Amino acid sequence: NAGVTQTPKFQVLKTGQSMTLQCAQDMNHEYMSWYRQDPGMGLRLIHYSVGAGITDQGEVPNGYNVSRSTTEDFPLRLLSAAPSQTSVYFCASSVDRGGGYTFGSGTRLTVV
Amino acid sequence: KNEVEQSPQNLTAQEGEFITINCSYSVGISALHWLQQHPGGGIVSLFMLSSGKKKHGRLIATINIQEKHSSLHITASHPRDSAVYICAVLMDSNYQLIWGAGTKLIIKP
């Protein structure tokens, strides 16, 4: 089925470990973004991309890295995990920044 | 002060009731989104609107640009409507999405 595929669904990391959250979409969307969702708060934008080769920082980019080598893939890298990065992460894509969004199923990350 | 405020934060109602969830914002926008997040965590886009009113099934979304206010209505509510409903606005200055904290809706049978 067409959509946004996000992996893994769950992950536990130790402080200082690194990992990559994968995000892939097959809708030929130009705009892709990563959000984190914390209890009682709205989604916060981490990084976004308006097309292959173009990325930019969002509201909370520290501790995260992204790249966009293809239109389909937009991985999010945690460089050195910290307990403050315990959250639920969502990847989303849309035709453009103003369009309707399609979300991945989310990754629940716990850093101990 | 948050740029996007939703009310109520929590809402419990009986099956069949008419539901209204409100979203107020303080910035200039080019569009407003309503999304639904189910207990399993998945987020689904319901509406994107920049003026007037949109309807899909039992869901109706309205926006008043002058008053900087939008409402999401659910008619003949059903337990399967239980979810968190999220409002997000697309700022017209920089095309950033600003998200509300969500309204948790529980519909009891």
Side-chain angles (χ1 to χ4, degrees), chain A residues 26-83:
Chain A
D26 57 3
M27 298 171 285
N28 205 32
H29 284 171
E30 291 294 331
Y31 184 78
M32 297 185 75
S33 52
W34 277 102
Y35 292 91
R36 59 178 289 172
Q37 186 179 39
D38 300 296
M41 301 180 72
L43 276 75
R44 291 185 291 168
L45 182 65
I46 304 171
H47 285 284
Y48 66 95
S49 169
V50 298
I54 307 169
T55 64
D56 207 346
Q57 296 181 350
E59 183 184 352
V60 288
N62 293 339
Y64 307 95
N65 229 351
V66 292
S67 59
R68 184 95 180 269
S69 56
T70 66
T71 299
E72 294 77 21
D73 299 298
F74 190 45
L76 177 73
R77 295 182 191 84
L78 278 70
L79 308 172
S80 177

